[in-house]
Amino acid sequence: MARLSWDKVGERYYETGVDRGVLYLPDSQGAYTTGYAWNGLTTVTESPSGAESNPQYADNIKYLNLISTEEFGGTIEAFTYPDAFAECDGTATPTPGVGIGQQTRKTFGLCYRTKVGNDLDGQDHGYKLHLVYGALAAPSEKEYSTINDSPEAITLSWEFTTTPVEVGTIAGVTYKPTSNIVIDSTKVDAEALETLEEFLYGTVGSDPSLPLPAAVIAIFSSTVTEVSPVPPSYDDATHTITIPTVTGVEYYINGVLVTGEVIINQDTLVTARPAIGYKFPALVDVDWLIKYS
């Protein structure tokens, strides 16, 4: 075995910064299908809790040690936020420009990037993608001050908690539900990372989305197959949409997975999404508005 050494050239790593924030809103089935760029993001503080020791005693000795469930939460700070975040902050908008507070808060997903540096490459060595699921923002304090000779922009802040989402069994290993995933660009396959970023940031033909944990793991643990969705057909005489059968393509109406024939009574939007282990080309139609006639 080799003798340990410290602070070798190229191994003096550090992490800094936060950028490329994206807010994702879930649909009725819990899929994060819509993403919004979060401009003005200044700080994300991760604050895990739980995982506390609860010793059990028997026979006058410490018999075992039970560990409580670990929780994931944190704080988001920013100069501004996407309009779509208003409903996550308990604000409803009955008409543009009018916000009603103290409404039901909506859960959200979040993605942000931090820089990984070292002594050779500086801050350009790599980066980490942080994916957060099932977040719920708490009411926050906003301080408005008069403008003086040293003006500062107002910094907004939200504490959030999370509800873990399912991961499932992968390669024979069953994982507990999770609220966060971290992807290190210096340790993963570059092509797989590019595929994930196509999902996270969107392409010319598809909206940004936050893949669920099982889909993220599939991107890095197996080859992702590119597949093109086929448009559904419509029979206006019977008002029936026929959903194509394409391996790797799932079709949704109002967030609900559909197959076979669907009878409609109004204009209906059909949306295609790639199944786990698949992706769409950058230039491809993924939704079709079927006109009821």
Side-chain angles (χ1 to χ4, degrees), residues 11-36:
E11 294 185 358
R12 302 173 187 178
Y13 299 108
Y14 60 91
E15 196 168 347
T16 185
V18 59
D19 65 1
R20 293 197 180 181
V22 186
L23 167 74
Y24 303 93
L25 298 183
D27 62 15
S28 59
Q29 304 301 306
Y32 296 89
T33 56
T34 308
Y36 306 88

Side-chain angles (χ1 to χ4, degrees), residues 82 119 185 243:
D119 53 311
S185 71
I243 304 298

